[in-house]
Amino acid sequence: MRGTQIFCRAGSLLNILRDVDLSTYNTLALAARADYFCELNNAADALQAIEFSRAKGLSLTLLGGGSNVVIAGPLAGLTAHMGIKGREKITESDDSVEVKFGAGENWHDTVNYCLDQGWYGLENLSLIPGTVGAAPIQNIGAYGVELEAYFVALEALALDSGELVRFNHADCEFGYRDSIFKGAAKDRYVITSVTLRLAKKPAPILTYPALQKALQAEGIGAVPTPRQIADTVCRIRREKLPDPSTIPNAGSFFKNPLIAAAQAEQLRQQFPDLVAYPQPDGKVKLAAAWLIDQAGWKGVQRDGVGVHQHQALVLVSERQHVGATGCALLALASDIQADITKQFGIDLEIEPVLLGR
Ligand code: EPU
């Protein structure tokens, strides 16, 4: 890590560094600098970081795995990297366990750990990049499962008071790739732990057609084991989504738009191949990937940034390319949005969190 140590409280290990390069702290590998930077290894570190930023009048930005952020420019104030680890069983019954995980635990390692313990439910969410603490912020979801189905509560430190606050399921206001932490509670808390309730008996969720097809193709019977589901999800993801360690990316760059059924019907008349999924509330979810692909953007490369060749929903950047900046990426995203509005009358919403603007 580069930078200069400027603050070290006696008896603690919280080092606050100056002018730190963040390219290894975001999976898009965008080069941007943090004015002040520190690593959080426990709740006491988090509290000190809050105190430090308040005393200096600095803003505080949290980074987890950096897998769902676009760092568009230099980050003023203090940037803290969440590294709080830990797994603690809270309660157990014949059917389920409640386990509290440190916010800095890697998500995929957590899924694997649970499977090894015989705690089920997270298998469809295998191989999602990022940390446990970031998972509730956007209510991560894949292959027919969303985090909220297993979520019990989280603990977070309030930035204004330093108090530890508990958020139960209802407090989080979960939605599609959404929670209160993207709205009213945005930038107001440091999430330190997440408690999940996992099943001790497998209850496979096989509603997602692509998952069903892949399991059938592998000759796996009607009732796959959780491990078989996890392995198959990993295989599909590896085939379709670029590995950020090879091709820097932040997963889906746009949300799948939800539109009125009548608008979807009109579009279908114009575009018979339109990929659309009716929702329980009567709306229709369109595949943003299909729209972007159809509009001719798939594989487009522009001076260090581009649209992935195999998955139009994923924007990519070129490691260490001088043009690969957050600004260039957002300019590309904005051109795509304008074109999709023009061609289909649909406004695409950016999914990752934007920082440094
Ligand atoms: N498609 C195209 N062109 C492409 C890619 C896909 O036309 O280049 C069409 C295909 O017809 C496909 C449809 O779009 O059937 C939907 O694609 P896919 O099944 O890959 O799912 P998605 O809607 O693109 C969502 C999530 C992913 C999640 C997958 C699987 C969002 C924004 N994205 O993608 O989440 O893994 O479903 O459940 O909801 C993420 O959030 O980072 C992420 C990867």
Side-chain angles (χ1 to χ4, degrees):
M1 185 188 300
R2 300 220 305 270
T4 328
Q5 179 181 310
I6 53 130
F7 176 84
C8 182
R9 198 179 244 214
S12 88
L13 293 174
L14 186 69
N15 287 345
I16 297 184
L17 307 169
R18 281 227 69 163
D19 191 28
V20 171
D21 170 43
L22 295 174
S23 53
T24 57
Y25 289 95
N26 72 100
T27 60
L28 273 162
L30 301 171
R33 302 195 83 82
D35 218 355
Y36 296 83
F37 180 89
C38 68
E39 189 75 41
L40 307 179
N41 293 312
N42 49 53
D45 285 355
L47 199 54
Q48 281 186 47
I50 291 171
E51 278 172 8
F52 176 82
S53 56
R54 277 170 63 194
K56 294 237 169 208
L58 301 172
S59 58
L60 178 59
T61 305
L62 251 292
L63 281 180
S67 59
N68 199 46
V69 293
V70 180
I71 307 181
L75 295 192
L78 174 61
T79 301
H81 179 247
M82 172 49 66
I84 300 178
K85 298 287 197 296
R87 298 160 175 154
E88 185 194 343
K89 200 193 280 177
I90 306 285
T91 60
E92 179 161 15
S93 69
D94 287 350
D95 303 324
S96 65
V97 282
E98 281 186 22
V99 188
K100 182 166 155 179
F101 297 96
E105 289 285 349
N106 173 275
W107 176 260
H108 181 63
D109 292 349
T110 301
V111 173
N112 266 329
Y113 171 81
C114 292
L115 285 175
D116 287 346
Q117 305 301 310
W119 302 338
Y120 305 125
L122 305 182
E123 44 278 3
N124 297 45
L125 304 178
S126 296
L127 215 61
I128 294 183
T131 53
V132 167
I137 298 176
Q138 59 150 338
N139 185 21
I140 56 170
Y143 304 103
V145 171
E146 285 184 335
L147 173 83
E148 65 160 307
Y150 302 94
F151 180 93
V152 176
L154 61 79
E155 286 176 337
L157 286 164
L159 295 189
D160 57 357
S161 62
E163 248 178 314
L164 192 65
V165 184
R166 181 182 161 100
F167 285 79
N168 292 324
H169 191 288
D171 301 326
C172 292
E173 299 178 9
F174 289 121
Y176 164 60
R177 291 296 197 280
D178 201 25
S179 77
I180 193 167
F181 300 100
K182 282 187 144 185
K186 189 170 185 275
D187 301 331
R188 290 181 48 204
Y189 295 93
V190 176
I191 296 172
T192 53
S193 74
V194 176
T195 300
L196 302 177
R197 184 180 301 115
L198 303 158
K200 287 165 73 175
K201 293 180 191 110
I205 295 176
L206 304 171
T207 48
Y208 199 85
L211 178 58
Q212 274 176 19
K213 254 190 15 215
L215 285 162
Q216 275 162 17
E218 283 169 29
I220 294 169
V223 189
T225 64
R227 182 54 77 184
Q228 285 174 320
I229 294 176
D231 289 347
T232 303
V233 166
C234 288
R235 198 177 52 72
I236 307 175
R237 287 188 76 95
R238 286 200 177 98
E239 265 169 26
K240 291 179 49 165
L241 296 166
D243 176 354
S245 63
T246 328
I247 303 177
N249 74 88
S252 300
F253 203 88
F254 301 100
K255 288 187 183 180
N256 286 327
L258 283 165
I259 62 167
Q263 191 186 1
E265 198 36 57
Q266 256 177 12
L267 275 170
R268 191 186 294 289
Q269 280 171 16
Q270 235 182 312
F271 305 97
D273 300 339
L274 184 80
V275 179
Y277 309 95
Q279 300 299 295
D281 64 0
K283 287 197 170 160
V284 173
K285 192 187 265 185
L286 299 185
W290 185 88
L291 298 171
I292 298 167
D293 194 349
Q294 187 74 16
W297 287 94
K298 191 159 158 176
V300 167
Q301 292 288 326
R302 235 164 64 171
D303 196 29
V305 297
V307 182
H308 187 53
Q309 336 179 18
H310 304 306
Q311 169 56 280
L313 198 49
V314 176
L315 300 193
V316 296
S317 81
E318 226 176 288
R319 204 178 299 282
Q320 286 174 350
H321 188 297
V322 64
T325 62
C327 265
L329 199 74
L330 291 182
L332 173 63
S334 158
D335 287 353
I336 294 172
Q337 285 170 311
D339 195 30
I340 299 302
T341 303
K342 195 169 129 216
Q343 295 204 34
F344 303 99
I346 303 280
D347 294 329
L348 288 184
E349 199 184 320
I350 290 180
E351 200 275 308
V353 174
L354 305 185
L355 300 176
R357 288 214 304 180

